[in-house]
Amino acid sequence: MSTKNLDHKEAKEKLIELVEDIKTGFLATGLTKKPVSAIPMSTKKVDDEGNLWFLSSMNSDHNGDIAQDADVQMLYANNSDMEFISIFGKASIVTDKEILEDFYSKVDDAWFSGSDDPSLSAIKIVPQEAYYWDSKQNKYITLFKMGLAALGGDQQDIGEKGKLNI
């Protein structure tokens, strides 16, 4: 796997591409506590700046953790396409009505009683640092190339990894 660190525009484009492709990741909060709190979150939007947006309950443990310490880690994994990204950033709780209405969908009725639910909030994560792994092909081709490498001793190009300097 070759290392390809990306800067600014390319880094944001790669972050947006991977997050929009994977959609659901684990949000880790309370990073100074043991164990950290990690919950699955469905990404509502990745904006043009690479900021990640989610809906959340005001009285959730992760909102409480963010109120205490804004440092968070998002971990995304797409095993079928061998794509992975780890994003460290600063989170904030947003209660702007327009934003909540924009992100809210019928699926969210499973957790909230509409976009007017008083416990509804959004979480905005501003990425500070990210690292990715991307095979650029499906897992079967990657596994085949790994097998070729094991049999023949030759290194195979199985994708890219690198730091995203946002």
Side-chain angles (χ1 to χ4, degrees):
M1 184 162 274
S2 60
T3 299
K4 184 175 181 186
N5 296 327
L6 303 175
D7 290 314
H8 311 293
K9 185 177 182 220
E10 279 185 313
K12 285 181 188 174
E13 288 171 357
K14 187 66 169 179
L15 182 142
I16 291 168
E17 171 195 328
L18 288 172
V19 172
E20 286 182 345
D21 190 36
I22 301 171
K23 289 280 188 225
T24 301
F26 272 87
L27 170 63
T29 60
L31 301 181
T32 59
K33 299 184 298 184
K34 290 183 184 177
V36 298
S37 174
I39 58 160
M41 295 290 280
S42 181
T43 308
K44 287 294 184 174
K45 181 178 183 176
V46 185
D47 65 26
D48 293 339
E49 296 301 311
N51 300 317
L52 310 173
W53 291 87
F54 308 87
L55 288 181
S56 180
S57 175
M58 286 295 288
N59 54 11
S60 66
D61 290 342
H62 48 279
N63 275 41
D65 286 343
I66 291 167
Q68 298 289 319
D69 180 1
D71 290 345
V72 297
Q73 188 90 27
M74 278 301 303
L75 304 166
Y76 291 92
N78 178 346
N79 290 336
S80 62
D81 288 337
M82 303 292 283
E83 299 172 318
F84 309 92
I85 186 167
S86 171
I87 304 165
F88 173 80
K90 298 286 184 185
S92 60
I93 307 300
V94 178
T95 57
D96 181 284
K97 190 72 177 150
E98 276 186 49
I99 290 172
L100 297 177
E101 287 177 357
D102 185 41
F103 293 152
Y104 199 86
S105 69
K106 200 73 177 147
V107 173
D108 299 312
D109 286 344
W111 295 276
F112 303 102
S113 56
S115 62
D116 291 327
D117 188 320
S119 69
L120 181 63
S121 69
I123 296 174
K124 176 184 179 183
I125 299 175
V126 178
Q128 307 280 297
E129 188 173 306
Y131 203 87
Y132 76 99
W133 301 261
D134 186 358
S135 72
K136 300 221 167 271
Q137 55 220 350
N138 74 38
K139 69 179 175 185
Y140 299 109
I141 293 172
T142 300
L143 291 172
F144 177 72
K145 286 184 174 183
M146 290 169 67
L148 287 176
L151 290 172
D154 297 329
Q155 278 194 335
Q156 297 286 319
D157 181 11
I158 58 171
E160 296 175 349
K161 65 179 176 70
K163 185 174 181 180
L164 299 177
N165 299 309
I166 301 166

